[in-house]
Amino acid sequence: MNTGTLYIIAAPSGAGKTSLVKALLARDPQLQVSVSHTTRAPRPGEIDGQHYHFVSQAAFQQLLQAQRFLEYAQVFDNFYGTSRDWVLAQLAAGRDVILEIDWQGARQVRQQLPDSVSIFILPPSRAALAERLRGRGQDSEAVIARRMREAVAEMTHQAEFDYLVFNEDFETALADLLALTHSRRLRQAVQQQRHSTQLQQLLSTESTAA
């Protein structure tokens, strides 16, 4: 039986990944995004099981020891991880899954699931990236400068990914992502399974020409 496709999507902060993934999910109902586990406290408006699975440090460590994560990372004092069981169950059921993770997590997942499709989203330029970060109106110039340094460091890993999408124009970038997901479903193995009856009829030696 054909399995679903796992899409790994990474990007530097400010490249527009979150907005693009949200739009992609709205346009392609066959996609679903993996909900990570985290030990940090919920922020106002966040819902357990929808934005994150909020767990204690002890519970996270138990899952980690049991090798229940495809990938995990520590960010300051908090841990984040992707459920191995959930992702593998969705793929086995033929569903396509998106992981929104950084390049380090992407590397961990690719080592375990080499058939996954990895996509790195890039801004059109450093100037555009800085403008987007300032446009949030949340950070000081010192924080923006630090985020820019981190973004440049992240972008050096773009060559590790299968596809690059430049988010210069949002609709164009979204169309690129949709083209990737649709083209994967036209693969020989997928079409053979999805249209098995139709193919049998087309190729049957007992069929007569109309």
Side-chain angles (χ1 to χ4, degrees):
M1 180 176 292
N2 184 64
T3 60
T5 297
L6 179 62
Y7 295 95
I8 303 169
I9 302 183
S13 178
K17 171 172 63 69
T18 301
S19 297
L20 281 169
V21 168
K22 182 179 179 179
L24 181 61
L25 291 169
R27 293 279 295 274
D28 189 341
Q30 296 185 58
L31 288 169
Q32 54 189 326
V33 68
S34 173
V35 178
S36 298
H37 287 66
T38 183
T39 59
R40 74 162 173 77
R43 294 169 182 162
E46 288 185 331
I47 301 172
D48 184 38
Q50 178 178 333
H51 296 93
Y52 286 97
H53 297 293
F54 296 99
V55 298
S56 66
Q57 290 272 0
F60 192 97
Q61 290 301 322
Q62 288 178 346
L63 292 169
L64 184 60
Q65 291 294 327
Q67 299 183 336
R68 302 287 292 277
F69 293 123
L70 272 178
E71 59 84 30
Y72 78 97
Q74 182 176 2
V75 181
F76 301 110
D77 296 327
N78 295 308
F79 288 87
Y80 298 80
T82 299
S83 170
R84 174 190 298 275
D85 295 343
W86 185 86
V87 169
L88 294 183
Q90 301 308 306
L91 296 177
R95 303 186 185 100
D96 296 337
V97 177
I98 292 177
L99 297 187
E100 286 187 78
I101 51 180
D102 63 13
W103 67 267
Q104 293 168 306
R107 182 180 287 179
Q108 293 179 52
V109 175
R110 287 198 308 270
Q111 290 173 347
Q112 300 172 71
L113 300 174
D115 289 336
S116 58
V117 177
S118 57
I119 305 166
F120 199 87
I121 297 173
L122 290 160
S125 66
R126 290 193 187 187
L129 181 60
E131 182 179 348
R132 291 175 186 176
L133 291 173
R134 289 191 180 93
R136 295 175 176 178
Q138 299 173 343
D139 302 317
S140 66
E141 282 299 315
V143 170
I144 291 173
R146 176 176 60 80
R147 290 186 180 277
M148 282 295 298
R149 290 192 297 270
E150 293 172 349
V152 172
E154 290 176 46
M155 288 189 290
T156 62
H157 295 277
Q158 51 80 26
E160 300 177 20
F161 289 73
D162 298 318
Y163 297 95
L164 297 180
V165 172
F166 284 84
N167 186 17
E168 180 171 5
D169 175 76
F170 185 87
E171 288 300 323
T172 300
L174 177 58
D176 288 341
L177 291 173
L178 285 167
L180 287 173
T181 61
H182 289 324
S183 66
R184 290 286 297 180
R185 297 185 189 122
L186 299 179
R187 286 173 299 154
Q188 176 72 225
V190 177
Q191 293 288 68
Q192 286 280 357
Q193 180 180 327
R194 181 179 299 163
H195 301 287
S196 59
T197 301
Q198 186 177 358
L199 283 167
Q200 288 175 3
Q201 294 174 346
L202 287 168
L203 302 176
S204 173
T205 55
E206 297 178 2
S207 299
T208 57

